[in-house]
Structure formats: structure tokens, C-alpha cells
């Protein structure tokens, strides 16, 4: 029986390389930070109002804006508010809606002037459903405006209408803004909102037109539309027979 020829050194090394498993050397890389906890949506909303606009908020949840410092608020039925905005010249004063109510921002101190203005306009004796929110009052903070993906709740398709801030924004059934307050005409960046707010400057001539409305013209227009809404509702009720 003939024995096998002895293997050369190179053949033996090749055989070992095929039978011995390879070992991969691990090189430690940079340490990755732990994932950051997502910021609370209310805190992002609060930061937008306090840092970007300089508006005071009330501690707690949900975020509420303090009236009477930078602005006052006129709360009216949404139907009357939309009709009034169509009659008024385009303006820059912020306007928001929540459900069936519209909030029109006016100059600080206007809430105290409202009863006198209504009497001067001869609307004082009628139930108009106009609520003035001034010093000591608050409103729910509307969702901040902005393009989709900007990282704030309410930004995106859910709060946009046919235009950037059309009258249907708060009535859309889809999106995160359902049931929440949203801006129809949002405040601009910066802290100079006072310059855009209707104020009691000088009593206008009845029937005067043109320019952004001052407080008297705004109240007169809103009161007229509130009265029309009240009359329509009264006419829609069935008659009561004794």
C-alpha cells in the first residue's frame, strides 16, 4: 500500500485557512446619545406665544392666553363674525375661531370701552351676544399657524382652508384642529401686534369707508351682523300657540 506524499508548508497553510473560521475585529465607534424625549405639544405652543410673540400665558394645561395686557378680545357668534369680516376692509388684526364663536383681537382697554361704544351707536338696549374679554380674562390659545412639518401642533392641512386662512378653517372635519381654537388671521411674527389692533382713536363719521376699521366701525359692523343672526334665529323658531 502506497502512502500519501507529505504536504508542503504552503499546502498545509492553505488547508488551515479553509478550516479555521475568520475573526472580525470590532473597532469601537463614537457613543450615540440617548434619544431625546419628544417635547410636550402644550410646551411647544406656549413657547411660540411667549418667545415668538411675547404674549403672556397662564401656567397649566391647556395653554391659555392672558387678555388685557397686549390685547383685548371681542367674542361673537362665528356666523356674525364671518359676515362682518366680509363687509370690513381687509385688515391685519388677528382673528381666531373656536367652535361657533369667533374671537376678534382689539387694543388693550377696548373691553372697558365696549358698553359706551354700543350705547353711542344705539345698540345698547339689544341682546347682541357680544362678549368683551379684557383685564383678568383669558382665552384658549389657538393652535399656532405654519406650514406642514414645522413641528407645532395644528400645522398642516387640518387648519388650512381654500386660502391660507379662509373662513372654513375651523369647520374642517379632518386634521388635528378639530374642536380646537384656530387662527383665521394669525398674528405676525414679532411683538408689534398692537399696531394692527382696532382702537378707539376718533369717532368716525357714520357711513365713512376706507382703511382698516377703528374700534367703533368694527363694533358697529359686528353688532349689525349679530342682530341679523338673532333675527334669523328668532324667525326660524316655530310659533307658540296658547
Amino acid at each position: 500500500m502506497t502512502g500519501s506524499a507529505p504536504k508542503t508548508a504552503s499546502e498545509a497553510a492553505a488547508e488551515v485557512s479553509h478550516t479555521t473560521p475568520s475573526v472580525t475585529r470590532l473597532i469601537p465607534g463614537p457613543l450615540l446619545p440617548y434619544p431625546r424625549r419628544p417635547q410636550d405639544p402644550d410646551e411647544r405652543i406656549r413657547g411660540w406665544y411667549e418667545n415668538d410673540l411675547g404674549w403672556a400665558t397662564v401656567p397649566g394645561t391647556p395653554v391659555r392666553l392672558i387678555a388685557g395686557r397686549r390685547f383685548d378680545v371681542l367674542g361673537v357668534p362665528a356666523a356674525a363674525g364671518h359676515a362682518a369680516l366680509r363687509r370690513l376692509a381687509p385688515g391685519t388684526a388677528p382673528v381666531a375661531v373656536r367652535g361657533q364663536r369667533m374671537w376678534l383681537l382689539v387694543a388693550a382697554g377696548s373691553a372697558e370701552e365696549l358698553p359706551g361704544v354700543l350705547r353711542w351707536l344705539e345698540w345698547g338696549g339689544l341682546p347682541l351676544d357680544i362678549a368683551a374679554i379684557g383685564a383678568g380674562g383669558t382665552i384658549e390659545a389657538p393652535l399656532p399657524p405654519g406650514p406642514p412639518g414645522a413641528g407645532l401642533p395644528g400645522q398642516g392641512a387640518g387648519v388650512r382652508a381654500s386660502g391660507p386662512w379662509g373662513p372654513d378653517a375651523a369647520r374642517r372635519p379632518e386634521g388635528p384642529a378639530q374642536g380646537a381654537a384656530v387662527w383665521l388671521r394669525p398674528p405676525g411674527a414679532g411683538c408689534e401686534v398692537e399696531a394692527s389692533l382696532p382702537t378707539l382713536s376718533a369717532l368716525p363719521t357714520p357711513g365713512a369707508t376706507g382703511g382698516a376699521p377703528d374700534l367703533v366701525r368694527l363694533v358697529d359692523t359686528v353688532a349689525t351682523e349679530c342682530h341679523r343672526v338673532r333675527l334669523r334665529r328668532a324667525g326660524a323658531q316655530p310659533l307658540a300657540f296658547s
Side-chain angles (χ1 to χ4, degrees), residues 26 33 61 72 74 78 112 123 137 141 154 158 162 171-172 193 196 200 207 221-222 238 241:
L26 299 178
T61 301
D72 284 358
L74 296 184
E112 297 179 1
W123 287 111
S162 55
R171 296 195 293 268
R172 285 179 169 262
V193 68
S196 68
L200 189 63
T221 305
V222 169
F241 296 95

Side-chain angles (χ1 to χ4, degrees), residues 231 233-242:
L231 292 178
R233 290 174 178 174
Q237 293 179 355
L239 297 176
F241 296 95
S242 57

Side-chain angles (χ1 to χ4, degrees), residues 19-120:
T19 58
T20 303
S22 60
V23 177
T24 303
R25 186 179 180 185
L26 299 178
I27 301 176
L31 296 178
L32 298 178
Y34 287 104
R36 297 179 61 183
R37 295 181 58 185
Q39 188 180 13
D40 182 81
D42 282 336
E43 290 308 311
R44 285 183 285 169
I45 295 174
R46 189 184 310 279
W48 185 76
Y49 281 105
E50 293 185 349
N51 300 329
D52 291 13
L53 298 180
W55 294 6
T57 64
V58 179
T61 301
V63 181
R64 300 189 66 84
L65 304 177
I66 299 176
R69 298 182 183 180
R70 306 293 302 277
F71 57 84
D72 284 358
V73 180
L74 296 184
V76 301
H82 286 301
L85 291 180
R86 287 192 293 268
R87 291 181 54 194
L88 294 168
T92 57
V95 179
V97 292
R98 185 183 189 280
Q100 299 302 312
R101 300 291 293 180
M102 177 178 288
W103 296 331
L104 302 122
L105 270 61
V106 293
S110 298
E112 297 179 1
E113 303 287 351
L114 180 63
V117 172
L118 288 172
R119 287 193 298 269
W120 186 82

